[in-house]
Amino acid sequence: MNHQELYELANSARRRSYAPYSHFTVGAALLTKSGKVYLGCNVENAAYGAVMCAERTAFFTAICEGERDFAAIAIAGGREGEAGDVCAPCGICRQVMAEFCDKDFEVILGSNEGVKVYSLDEILPLSFTKENL
Ligand code: THU
């Protein structure tokens, strides 16, 4: 599974997004070290605080299936009906990544122009993790 293929899976999950309030649709594809992929999309709610991001949907689904070792996540997002530009993960999702992933976990951000790959350490430097407790 290469970076572009994982991004395309994120785009397919984006089509299942439920975003009637923000009209901003996001999909994520989370790759385990054993090669399995878990998808997620954002799921909104009339009570805005109940909104769940695509990335955490994918993580929590995978965790619930017993997965603990993750290699990469690809994220595809943008305004509903538009191709989508680079969609960087929110701070809460980065913190969830830091709970379960090593610093070299790959975060793949895509757009029409292709994909760019960042390490978790690059996008969440000086993080607070279980090592601090
Ligand atoms: N959203 C995500 O799913 N992931 C992100 O990393 C950024 C934001 C969703 C949450 C909400 O449904 C919509 O995008 C607008 O914030």
Side-chain angles (χ1 to χ4, degrees):
M1 173 77 51
N2 67 35
H3 295 138
Q4 185 66 39
E5 286 167 342
L6 198 62
Y7 174 66
E8 277 156 27
L9 289 176
N11 249 320
S12 71
R14 184 183 167 200
R15 288 185 212 110
R16 301 191 197 128
S17 158
Y18 176 76
Y21 305 104
S22 73
H23 301 286
F24 191 90
T25 59
V26 187
L30 176 63
L31 178 68
T32 68
K33 287 185 181 169
S34 67
K36 272 185 152 184
V37 176
Y38 291 85
L39 301 180
C41 63
N42 56 329
V43 182
E44 299 191 342
N45 194 284
Y48 293 175
V51 169
M52 180 55 62
C53 288
E55 298 89 327
R56 276 176 290 147
T57 304
F59 264 98
F60 297 158
T61 301
I63 296 293
C64 190
E65 292 294 322
E67 301 289 353
R68 286 292 185 279
D69 298 319
F70 302 106
I73 191 167
I75 303 163
R79 282 190 289 269
E80 199 171 62
E82 294 184 13
D85 207 346
V86 168
C87 176
C90 81
I92 299 173
C93 290
R94 293 179 200 209
Q95 186 65 29
V96 168
M97 292 174 198
E99 183 69 25
F100 295 106
C101 306
D102 301 328
K103 288 178 185 297
D104 63 353
F105 175 74
E106 291 181 326
V107 180
I108 300 157
L109 304 182
S111 70
N112 276 346
E113 321 220 312
V115 297
K116 281 192 181 157
V117 186
Y118 301 86
S119 69
L120 178 57
D121 197 38
E122 266 181 294
I123 66 161
L124 190 66
L126 207 68
S127 56
F128 184 86
T129 68
K130 52 194 162 201
E131 316 299 327
N132 298 106
L133 296 177

